[in-house]
Amino acid sequence: MRRLTRTSSDAPNRRDLLIFALPALILIIAAFALAWQFVRPAAPKKIVMSTGAAGGAYHYFGERYREKLAQDGIEVELRPSSGAVENLRRLKTDDSVDLAFIQGGIANEPESEDLATLGSMYLEPVWVFYRGNGELDRVAQLRGRRIAVGLPGSGAQLFALQLLAANGFATNDPQLRPIGGADAVDALKHGEVDAFFVVGAPQAPVVNALLHSEGIKLLNFAQAEGYGRHFPHLGRITLPRGAVDIRTDQPPRDIQLVAATANLVAKADIHPAIVTLLLKHAREIHGAPGLLQGANAFPRPLDHALPLHPSAQRFYDSGPPFLQRYLPFWLAVLIDRLFVMLLPLVAVVIPLSRVLPALYNWRMRARVYRWYGELKFLEAEIDRDRTPPSADRVAGFLARLDRIEERATHRKLPLAFSNELYTLREHIALVRSRLRALAETATDA
């Protein structure tokens, strides 16, 4: 019994497949390569935040961010510092630091290319706590007293020295003590200093402790509006009567304060997904009502000393990205990255999947139709002979017919087109029968 084998006519023509497949493959690879240029790297699993001294607002809020981002699988390393001035220096010179808190008025680079602000997170009043009798309402009234002005490199010390200099104090006055944080709180409580300049949010442990300390008073900035004219980064705010403790009526009167904004500043190339994640949590951390602001007053893009990060601008305009609103952070970022890679699939692969089969079918059928054309041309020549053809002419017709049949028989075509090939061979057989009939009546040349 003869074994069935795959003949050359049953196999697809690899050359024909390559003619279509190779350009399509090159086009697809080029499309994906182009799309890859627009795929952002994966969001980092760890970021570094420069905060402030222990007991300060920066450290307090840094802990809050660390807790929030840990829920999204992002580790936040907190690096204590002396304050805003050192934070700015780290952002400028330390490649490992990603973001930090910086007070308004510390940086002034609206065209910066290496740093960007994510917005103002809260207000940082200048609190001047003091000991003694009497109600003070001017910084000048502190002359001759021992004053803690904050640690070197801190924004608190910078602000303190600016305000003291504006009131005629010499910045090298020996009465100005370079201490801050918990050490300055203890020094004030024990009478080692008479006043303490603090710049920070009411939630800062240092501020909170002094607001509730017996025998410690808070200076009222009667000239708050005037300070704003001299220092544009400072604005006037009011600590309402009873806001600290309604039962003990603390403070016993409205206190005027001057305040800067605390801004979250990052490297300009920080991952956009991290920006939106930080701002999403910032709404929870800083949006609650407090002593100095109502609900949802922060975060806001108030400070313009640094350019606003583009992702932060989109967040303030339209909120967090759609996917991050409803999906876990890691999944939203993954889908966002994959979406870019789906564009070539939609723009190139899907159209090609429809066009290429049609082109391939057309090419295969065109080959069969070409043989049909030759066959039709042969029949037309036979029909033009008005008299019975000569034997040589019939033999020539048969030879041409044999060549058509030879090509149709041995040409490789996919199995899907076998029916058309068999139909062609049947038509060839009909023409052959006609030529054989003519050969019987043919005359010798």
Side-chain angles (χ1 to χ4, degrees), residues 114-445:
D114 57 341
L115 299 182
T117 179
L118 308 189
S120 302
M121 301 295 114
Y122 58 93
L123 292 174
E124 285 196 308
V126 179
W127 311 85
V128 181
F129 296 99
Y130 64 93
R131 298 174 57 88
N133 299 322
E135 301 293 339
L136 305 185
D137 60 7
R138 293 179 58 209
V139 173
Q141 294 170 329
L142 295 174
R143 189 176 303 278
R145 304 193 186 195
R146 297 163 298 175
I147 306 171
V149 294
L151 295 171
S154 67
Q157 187 184 85
L158 179 62
F159 278 19
L161 294 179
Q162 285 179 336
L163 300 185
L164 289 166
N167 283 274
F169 287 76
T171 56
N172 59 351
D173 189 329
Q175 296 287 66
L176 306 184
R177 309 294 173 83
I179 57 174
D183 291 338
V185 172
D186 291 337
L188 182 62
K189 288 182 176 180
H190 292 91
E192 298 171 10
V193 295
D194 303 305
F196 177 26
F197 274 76
V198 185
V199 180
Q203 298 95 325
V206 168
V207 175
N208 187 61
L210 291 174
L211 285 174
H212 294 87
S213 295
E214 291 277 346
I216 304 298
K217 297 182 179 180
L218 183 60
L219 184 139
N220 176 54
F221 280 81
Q223 300 169 306
E225 284 289 348
Y227 280 107
R229 298 297 186 271
H230 291 275
F231 304 100
H233 55 276
L234 296 178
R236 180 178 67 86
I237 59 173
T238 300
L239 178 64
R241 177 177 178 175
V244 175
D245 191 330
I246 197 72
R247 182 179 61 84
T248 59
D249 194 27
Q250 292 297 323
R253 58 194 172 106
D254 288 353
I255 300 292
Q256 303 301 310
L257 301 172
V258 292
T261 55
N263 309 301
L264 192 56
V265 176
K267 296 281 181 61
D269 60 356
I270 189 172
H271 197 285
I274 295 295
V275 172
T276 55
L277 183 63
L278 285 166
L279 289 175
K280 180 181 175 182
H281 290 310
R283 282 185 171 176
E284 303 174 21
I285 295 172
H286 305 290
L291 289 180
L292 304 175
Q293 78 273 340
N296 302 317
F298 292 95
R300 293 173 62 191
L302 297 178
D303 188 85
H304 305 290
L306 290 169
L308 185 64
H309 194 284
S311 294
Q313 183 66 68
R314 287 191 292 271
F315 183 91
Y316 291 119
D317 291 340
S318 56
F322 177 79
L323 293 176
Q324 289 193 29
R325 297 179 191 179
Y326 305 104
L327 297 176
F329 174 73
W330 68 269
L331 182 58
V333 173
L334 177 62
I335 294 176
D336 183 60
R337 298 180 71 224
L338 291 178
F339 178 77
V340 177
M341 297 306 296
L342 289 177
L343 292 179
L345 181 66
V346 176
V348 177
V349 177
I350 293 178
L352 283 178
S353 67
R354 297 187 177 186
V355 172
L356 285 181
L359 288 175
Y360 185 74
N361 291 341
W362 170 82
R363 180 175 174 82
M364 296 299 102
R365 288 193 173 93
R367 183 170 297 152
V368 177
Y369 295 155
R370 184 170 61 252
W371 297 327
Y372 266 113
E374 294 181 21
L375 186 62
K376 183 66 177 177
F377 184 75
L378 178 61
E379 284 189 290
E381 284 194 43
I382 296 172
D383 292 338
R384 280 199 297 269
D385 288 339
R386 300 297 182 183
T387 59
S390 66
D392 289 342
R393 188 166 178 76
V394 171
F397 287 150
L398 285 171
R400 288 169 60 185
L401 187 64
D402 288 341
R403 287 194 295 270
I404 295 174
E405 185 175 22
E406 177 70 16
R407 291 198 301 272
T409 301
H410 295 91
R411 187 67 174 182
K412 296 179 181 179
L413 282 179
L415 291 174
F417 300 92
S418 297
N419 60 330
E420 298 185 18
L421 188 59
Y422 284 121
T423 303
L424 172 63
R425 294 172 67 179
E426 289 178 0
H427 291 163
I428 291 173
L430 290 175
V431 176
R432 188 181 299 280
S433 298
R434 181 181 175 187
L435 287 174
R436 285 174 179 171
L438 288 174
E440 293 177 358
T441 61
T443 60
D444 293 333

